[in-house]
Each structure stands twice: as C-alpha cells, then as structure tokens.
C-alpha cells in the first residue's frame, strides 16, 4: 500500500504536550483513501529533526509528506504556503541551540513553495466547519527549518524518485489555557488532518479562490 508520511513534533519551550505529536500518534497505522499513514514524531532540535526526517523518507518511501507543528497563538488549522531559507530562533531548541540570522542551506534558494493543495485543504476544512486559513509564514524556528529542508530534499530528488509532494501544516493549541489563547480540541484537529491528507491525495492541482478566502 502506498504510504503517507505524517510527522509531528515533541513538546518544546517547557510545554508538557504538543498536539502535533498527539495527532500523529492517533493517525499512525490508519488507512486513508487506500494509503497507509506512517506517523512519526520528530525532536524539536534544529539539526537532528532533519536527519530523522530524512531517515523516515528513506525508510518509508512515501508518496506524500505532511509535517505538522503547533503554533500556539493561532486559532485555525493553517497549511503553510512558503518555507524560507532562514533560522532565527526566538528561544533555544530542545538541545539548547539558538541560531540567529543563519541560512538553512548556504547557497540554497530564498524560499520553496508547498506542493500541497493549500487552498483546497482550507476549503475542505471550512466545509466541515473547522477553522482554517492559508498561512504565508511558518516562522523562523524549527518548524520552518524542517519545512524548508523537506521541500529542498523533495525538489532535489524530483526526476529520480518521481514527484513526491509535501508541505507543512501548523495546528492550534489543543486547549485555550484558561481562555488566554485560542485553541481547538484535539479530536477536531485529528479530523482536520485526516481531511487534509484526503484532500492532498485527491487534488493534483490546488483549488483557486481569491486572496485566500474560501470560495
Ligand atoms: N512548533 C514550533 C517547533 C515545533 C512545533 O511544534 C514551530 O512552530 O517552529
């Protein structure tokens, strides 16, 4: 059965949990539209996260890759459109590393675009009543680092291994921390990511609607 690689992150910044890790564990081993989901958790560490991602790419040989991370200030599921060639950490990663103004790949392009149907995913989520929006920045911390490295790896392989599509989705916190921030219940997040996988498998080309609004 063809494989979809779905990654999440371990908790970071002193948090006890990370919803992206819980989503990945919940969907690991599931069959979605005739594809096996391989759910793997990455360390929230600049260098090591990418080494582990590449190892899973080699082992699982997925035809679709979706990486997840939490963006605790956001209230919606946000497929990321663009990964930029920059590490600029606002806090240390889980190994104590805090790169500032550093390119991810020296000599690499400034950015890569997601090859997921980001607007199609947003429209599909909205149809199910889930909060969703396209995002144009994945930040400059470990999530963007993994997203950029994923897109670079897939772009450089294209032709050899066929076009493997991939991208990144940020999810909200799973609770509202007593009303002090937006949040979305974990069950809804899991349902949302299942929809994102289905939509990515179904749509070869992205949906088009104006300004990221939902048509
Ligand atoms: N979110 C962080 C890194 C890991 C995660 O889940 C980020 O947005 O960069």
């Amino acid at each position: 059965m063809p494989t979809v690689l779905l990654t999440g992150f371990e908790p970071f910044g002193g948090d006890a949990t990370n919803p992206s890790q819980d989503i990945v564990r919940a969907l690991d081993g599931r069959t979605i539209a005739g594809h096996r989901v391989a759910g793997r958790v990455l360390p929230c560490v600049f260098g090591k996260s990418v080494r582990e991602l590449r190892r899973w790419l080699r082992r699982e040989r997925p035809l679709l890759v979706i990486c997840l991370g939490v963006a605790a200030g956001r209230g919606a599921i946000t497929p990321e459109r663009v990964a930029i060639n920059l590490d600029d950490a606002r806090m240390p990663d889980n190994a104590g590393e805090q790169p500032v103004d550093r390119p991810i790949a020296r000599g690499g392009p400034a950015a890569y675009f997601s090859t997921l149907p980001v607007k199609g995913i947003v429209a599909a989520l909205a149809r199910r009543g889930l909060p969703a929006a396209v995002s144009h920045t994945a930040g400059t911390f470990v999530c963007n680092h993994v997203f950029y490295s994923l897109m670079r790896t897939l772009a450089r392989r294209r032709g050899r291994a066929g076009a493997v599509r991939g991208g990144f989705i940020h999810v909200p916190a799973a609770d509202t921390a007593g009303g002090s921030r937006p949040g979305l219940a974990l069950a809804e997040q899991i349902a949302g990511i299942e929809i994102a996988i289905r939509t990515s498998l179904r749509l070869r080309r992205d949906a088009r609607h104006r300004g990221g609004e939902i048509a």
Side-chain angles (χ1 to χ4, degrees), residues 165-196:
R165 291 181 302 151
F168 198 97
I169 302 177
H170 266 116
V171 295
D175 63 84
T176 61
S180 66
R181 67 177 181 205
L184 183 66
L186 187 62
E188 299 206 278
Q189 299 203 29
I190 294 168
I193 297 306
E194 180 171 349
I195 291 167

Side-chain angles (χ1 to χ4, degrees), residues 9-10 12 18 20 44 68-71 90 138 141-144 170:
F9 278 105
E10 65 184 7
F12 66 100
N18 186 328
S20 69
C44 189
L68 306 175
V70 67
R90 65 187 182 280
F141 193 49
V142 183
C143 286
N144 175 73
H170 266 116

